[in-house]
Amino acid sequence: PAPPAEEVVAEIRAAGGQATAHLGDVADYEDARGLVQLAVDTYGQLDILVNNAGILRDRMVFSMSEEEWDTVIRVHLKGHFNTVHFASVHWRERSKAAGGPVYGRIVNTSSEAFLAGSAGQPNYAAAKGGIVGLTTSTAAALGKYGVTANVICPRARTRMTEDVFAGFEVPAEGDLDRLAPEHVSPLVGYLASPSAAHVNGQCFVVHGGMVAVLERPKVAAKFDTGKDRFSVAELDELLTPYYEGRPPNETFAAVEVLGLKHGG
């Protein structure tokens, strides 16, 4: 059978579009260079970069091997950096040649695992948190060139997540499948469009009929001392009562409730 990338190319061409597959390793620096260059050589320039490559090596932190950690960080985080790097070089050079902003859009893929701290996915959660940091840094660096960078946290049934969502089977025909990837793609299309020119450095949760805009972390509480520094005892007096009786990950749990509420 043809590789999945070639199957997608065939679908796009059958629908009247143009597509070219690059069968390389996104986490390989030179392969990523070749991927971006293939787009430029084939279509004249690069306008939109969507990063969605990923793998899973799920295990509890006390059972995880070094290889399982390195492999997931490599594919998710380094893979995102590689393509973002070469795309940003392309846009920066074009902007300098044009003497002003050009059109560029980056849509990266993170996960709610970075928010909620998925217990069996320390490598995945860390990589996805890193992608958010990479995206906001990129957004700040490339805005002056006309390039936006945003990140999505989708829930969708894919080849990578079919085991994760094993308990959520495909509903009967005619019923809404909240985990269908088709619920995610419109947001990607919007963020890649001219209409999203003022949307930059943002993080979204998206699934079955719901899009949530996440705020950057805010200060939940502040404690001041009138002296040079706190003592451990003083911090005990202030922080222990503050946390007693509060559910763990209270702020992140609120994000999850928001998503479920708006998801129906």
Side-chain angles (χ1 to χ4, degrees), residues 42-261:
T42 304
Y43 303 105
Q45 64 185 44
L46 177 68
D47 297 313
I48 301 160
L49 171 65
V50 179
N51 279 312
N52 194 43
I55 61 171
L56 294 176
R57 297 291 185 272
D58 292 352
R59 204 172 298 279
M60 301 296 282
V61 68
F62 42 78
S63 302
M64 181 164 290
S65 69
E66 181 182 20
E67 180 183 9
E68 289 165 337
W69 172 271
D70 288 347
T71 299
V72 169
I73 297 297
R74 177 181 181 273
V75 173
H76 285 271
L77 186 51
K78 187 184 178 187
H80 272 64
F81 162 75
N82 285 347
T83 54
V84 166
H85 167 72
F86 289 112
S88 65
V89 169
H90 170 73
W91 285 318
R92 183 169 179 261
E93 291 176 349
R94 278 178 50 201
S95 178
K96 287 186 174 182
V102 296
Y103 190 97
R105 299 285 186 270
I106 298 171
V107 182
N108 289 332
T109 305
S110 182
S111 167
E112 290 169 283
F114 99 92
L115 286 168
S118 182
Q121 298 180 307
N123 48 4
Y124 182 74
K128 290 307 190 182
I131 288 169
V132 174
L134 170 66
T135 304
T136 55
S137 175
T138 301
L142 300 187
K144 64 182 178 181
Y145 301 116
V147 180
T148 66
N150 294 287
V151 61
I152 63 172
C153 300
R155 295 183 204 171
R157 188 183 294 103
T158 66
R159 286 189 303 138
M160 190 185 80
T161 63
E162 57 187 359
D163 291 337
V164 176
F165 294 122
F168 299 86
E169 303 303 331
V170 177
E173 186 175 352
D175 293 340
L176 176 65
D177 182 0
R178 298 193 181 280
L179 294 177
E182 289 80 2
H183 296 301
V184 177
S185 53
L187 177 60
V188 177
Y190 167 73
L191 293 174
S193 74
S195 298
H198 299 294
V199 183
N200 195 25
Q202 301 300 300
C203 184
F204 301 86
V205 174
V206 54
H207 59 87
M210 187 283 296
V211 173
V213 181
L214 300 187
E215 290 185 334
R216 297 192 181 190
K218 298 188 297 184
V219 175
K222 184 178 179 181
F223 304 94
D224 292 311
T225 176
K227 300 177 295 183
D228 290 340
R229 64 184 64 87
F230 283 108
S231 69
V232 173
E234 288 170 335
L235 289 173
D236 178 20
E237 291 177 5
L238 291 169
L239 293 178
T240 300
Y242 176 75
Y243 281 104
E244 284 179 344
R246 297 170 67 92
N249 297 325
E250 183 179 42
T251 302
F252 297 152
V255 173
E256 180 72 7
V257 170
L258 174 67
L260 292 174
K261 178 181 178 182

